[in-house]
Amino acid sequence: QVQLVESGGGLVQAGGSLRLSCAASGRTFSTDAMGWFRQAPDKEREFVAAISWTGRSTNYGDSVKGRFTISRDNDKNTVYLQINSLKPEDTAVYYCARRNYGTTASRPDEYAYWGQGTQVTVSS
């Protein structure tokens, strides 16, 4: 059974930083691409970032480029999202997702497994 457990969310002031973590289990982690999405109230789920199975290829949503960094540690079965220069509009539930393939993707329907999400709230 594949499980994804996010952590690291919280309340932070604008301009601050957070590091989100997603611990994966239940399937060989090192063969799967991973992604982060977010969803704010009354909005659609938005692509944030993705990383290939090797970690050599990454993609980012336009609204987070230059501020967010995705990385992974295959020895720890964990993917990370470093979030810098936070803005109030970054407030959302952040979800970790996992593909059945090693290449990155940006659509939610390209991901097979999802975590429960972690709340990030940015105050102005």
Side-chain angles (χ1 to χ4, degrees):
Q1 182 180 359
V2 173
Q3 286 191 316
L4 300 172
V5 179
E6 302 97 334
S7 61
L11 174 63
V12 63
Q13 288 188 331
S17 298
L18 284 173
R19 189 174 83 154
L20 307 184
S21 299
C22 173
S25 62
R27 175 184 160 98
T28 303
F29 177 76
S30 59
T31 61
D32 295 342
M34 300 293 295
W36 287 95
F37 291 77
R38 66 185 182 185
Q39 190 163 17
D42 300 323
K43 291 190 176 181
E44 292 187 354
R45 194 162 292 193
E46 177 189 13
F47 171 69
V48 173
I51 188 166
S52 65
W53 68 282
T54 61
R56 296 194 189 105
S57 178
T58 57
N59 292 323
Y60 295 92
D62 289 341
S63 62
V64 307
K65 283 180 181 175
R67 299 188 297 123
F68 290 18
T69 303
I70 189 171
S71 61
R72 66 189 296 160
D73 186 336
N74 286 346
D75 291 333
K76 295 182 178 179
N77 290 353
T78 301
V79 63
Y80 305 97
L81 185 69
Q82 178 67 42
I83 307 175
N84 297 328
S85 303
L86 276 159
K87 304 175 182 179
E89 51 264 44
D90 293 320
T91 295
V93 177
Y94 284 71
Y95 295 93
C96 174
R98 183 170 179 172
R99 302 197 72 204
N100 283 327
Y101 304 96
T103 54
T104 61
S106 59
R107 296 198 322 262
D109 63 1
E110 295 177 296
Y111 288 79
Y113 308 100
W114 293 84
Q116 293 299 306
T118 185
Q119 176 71 47
V120 172
T121 303
V122 184
S123 63
S124 57

